[in-house]
Amino acid sequence: MGTEIDRRRLLGGALGLAAGATLLGAGAPLLTATDAAAAAAPGMPGGARTPGGTGTSGGTGTSGGTGTSGGARTSALWREFRAHPYTHPQIPYVGRAGYLGGRTGFPRLPVVADVRAFGARPDGSADAAPAINRAIAAAGRRGGGTVLVPPGTYRVDDVIRLGYDNVVLRGAGSGRTTLHATRNLTELIGPYGSRYGGNKSSWSWAGGLIWICPDARWRSLTDAIRAQAWPFEGWTGNRRDEWHTLTDLAAPARRGDWTVAVEDPSALRRGDRVLLQLTDDGAHSLLAHMAGDVEGAADYVWTDKTKLTSYVPYEWPCRVVAVDRRRHRVTLDRPLPLDARPAWKPRFTTLVRPVTGSGVEGITLDVVETPQSQHLLDKGYNGVALQCAWDCWVDDVTVNNVDNGFLLVAAKACTLRRTRVTGRGSHHPYCCREGSHDNLVEDFVLAQRTVPAPAGTQLHGINVEGLSSYNVWSRGRMEMGTFDTHRGMPFANVRTEITVDNTGSHGGDASAGPLYGARFAHWNVTVTNQRAGCVRIDDIAPYSATVGISEVRQFGQIDVPDFTGPLHSRIESYGHPEAVHPRNLYEAQRALR
């Protein structure tokens, strides 16, 4: 295998909340004792960094450690991580990923509307979309609440839109309430080209027939699409100009810091939702830092990666939990994801107003069955999209016969739980892109397709791209697909306790740059067909951890390293998923709180 690793490196170098919770938005979550201690430590340097070594196939078994039930032994990497959880070189801190920092319960908001009272018929005989949208709007205008969709099948000929805070669309369960969608987004909104040119359809990765997105943002997006002024889709508007500076950082800060010094804290209040913006410099040192500052990043050609460079300034949404006006210090709800160096002009800014505290529960979205479109020409038979959504959730939702299943597009701290993608096969069953951070997808199923894949189509799997970071996929069953890291250099993402029949492939335009940034962790992954691609990443992803995956071999590979030289990756318990402890990296990190 060493020869194959060397070949691939050379090729890569050549290729260059609780149930009693009240409505969200009133104040910030309290710091736990652990968080408070971390926030009180100026700078939080995190201590000595553990040197990493490039993983090889010889790194089998778990070294040392405390015995656990079932014969598993505590991971050496896990012991290192516990000593320095916010600054470990290979494992990202994701213990706060998901709704309200990883709360396990969603609020049970009072019922304020029943879609039948607004004219929806549960027998599929008439278009129920206008009635459902009227019920959602009524709930939103009164400040939030639950909109009930009782058992039955409701035909929907339009997009179902959740653009208000604290509104929950709740069915009777995914096996009892069905929305039957008859039209696609191209029909409903119009063709959506790519801002990067070509004949691609952006409905191949954007938009949903259930669309959680703030109303003003949704209108600006769809107006731009109809005008064929293809928009940016994220936190600062269609042209990335809908923001202003609140304050600059006054001193350098390091990845893992909870508290930072600012020039002027007068515009900041506890509970504010803000963006940390980092701007790349002429040497592209910010992009190199996202890659872990590996030696090969110095030789990597960044200048022609025009799609990647369009993603910076890097925008990281965060919440202010404390402001010390005397000392000009601000404490955040989670540790910094990257260093904040003066060369990158770090600042806190405003952002477009996100939708918060809203969710979809207990529904099947069944799309009229059509053949899967050719690759990148999807018409937009898409499932649930969360866009400019923060602290929102989807629970017990199935999407059937979709082009794209669940889409996180500039989403922050959202949870998808008990979701399923079923039916004729989809392009992106799960998609995470456009600066999506700190999201959690857990207890998910990607079911085997019910019909053969048409020629010229593509299957990815659980996707992440576009500088998205600190996202988690946990406790999943993938009967097809793969771990699709889709260029655009996402970094610091975790996939844990997943079984996969590894049959898909990654995607991504070459101009989007590297497949992987630093600190990807694949932890306790069972591969049923022994295919290595996109799962075993110790010889591909810089400063990564591959822990407790099945023994795999290389066939049908298209993922190759982007950086030459040592990658400082780690591999542990190779070939023995059953031996790794803790079993679930995300849950173990959450328990540390």
Side-chain angles (χ1 to χ4, degrees), residues 44 72 129 574:
M44 267 294 294
Y574 174 61

Side-chain angles (χ1 to χ4, degrees), residues 16-379:
L17 183 75
T22 56
L23 299 183
L24 186 64
L30 296 176
L31 288 172
T32 64
T34 302
D35 302 338
M44 267 294 294
R49 296 165 66 90
T50 305
T54 301
T56 68
S57 58
T60 59
T62 304
S63 55
T66 305
T68 65
S69 61
R73 298 174 69 84
T74 300
S75 158
L77 269 167
W78 174 248
R79 293 198 306 272
E80 292 176 12
F81 176 84
R82 286 194 61 167
H84 305 293
Y86 310 128
T87 57
H88 193 277
Q90 284 89 12
I91 300 176
Y93 174 69
V94 293
R96 286 180 168 268
Y99 168 73
L100 277 185
R103 302 288 178 92
T104 58
F106 305 126
R108 301 292 291 181
L109 304 182
V111 175
V112 297
D114 184 318
V115 298
R116 295 172 302 180
F118 290 80
R121 300 174 64 173
D123 59 3
S125 62
D127 179 17
I132 296 173
N133 284 327
R134 286 195 298 268
I136 292 170
R141 287 193 297 268
R142 63 183 295 166
T146 296
V147 176
L148 284 184
V149 191
T153 296
Y154 301 79
R155 196 183 92 210
V156 291
D157 301 341
D158 203 350
V159 177
I160 304 302
R161 294 171 44 213
L162 282 86
Y164 298 86
D165 294 346
N166 309 308
V167 174
V168 178
L169 184 69
R170 181 186 300 152
S174 60
R176 301 182 65 201
T177 295
T178 297
L179 305 183
H180 179 64
T182 64
R183 303 176 71 190
N184 58 60
L185 294 168
T186 300
E187 296 175 277
L188 294 170
I189 296 171
Y192 188 2
S194 170
R195 64 180 183 251
Y196 301 104
N199 64 346
K200 302 172 185 177
S201 168
S202 285
W203 297 129
S204 300
W205 52 76
L209 293 170
I210 300 176
W211 202 331
I212 303 178
C213 182
D215 186 66
R217 187 76 183 98
W218 189 86
R219 292 182 185 277
S220 71
L221 283 164
T222 54
D223 285 350
I225 293 166
R226 292 187 176 103
Q228 299 187 5
W230 313 131
F232 284 91
E233 301 158 274
W235 297 104
T236 50
N238 294 347
R239 294 178 299 276
R240 301 194 71 184
D241 59 358
E242 297 179 33
W243 59 273
H244 64 266
T245 299
L246 296 167
T247 184
D248 297 323
L249 269 63
R254 294 193 61 194
R255 175 172 66 91
D257 290 354
W258 293 70
T259 298
V260 298
V262 298
E263 294 283 358
D264 180 5
S266 62
L268 297 173
R269 300 289 185 275
R270 180 181 185 272
D272 282 352
R273 300 176 190 266
V274 300
L275 284 182
L276 172 68
Q277 285 197 20
L278 302 175
T279 303
D280 203 13
D281 58 14
H284 297 294
S285 63
L286 174 59
L287 294 177
H289 179 55
M290 292 174 178
D293 294 306
V294 291
E295 294 90 328
D299 299 325
Y300 185 81
V301 178
W302 301 98
T303 54
D304 63 350
K305 307 305 185 293
T306 53
K307 191 171 184 179
L308 175 63
T309 55
S310 77
Y311 298 152
V312 289
Y314 171 71
E315 298 172 339
W316 181 63
C318 52
R319 182 181 278 204
V320 175
V321 297
V323 180
D324 184 338
R325 304 194 185 283
R326 183 179 63 83
R327 300 173 64 200
H328 285 216
R329 297 176 69 83
V330 174
T331 300
L332 306 176
D333 62 334
R334 61 193 71 221
L336 289 183
L338 295 164
D339 291 354
R341 302 175 188 171
W344 303 332
K345 303 176 182 177
R347 66 187 69 185
F348 290 119
T349 77
T350 60
L351 67 162
V352 297
R353 188 183 185 280
V355 61
T356 63
S358 292
V360 181
E361 302 176 348
I363 283 172
T364 288
L365 177 66
D366 175 52
V367 175
V368 59
E369 185 170 356
T370 60
Q372 185 177 349
S373 296
Q374 297 291 289
H375 189 217
L376 301 176
L377 297 178
D378 296 351
K379 297 178 176 67

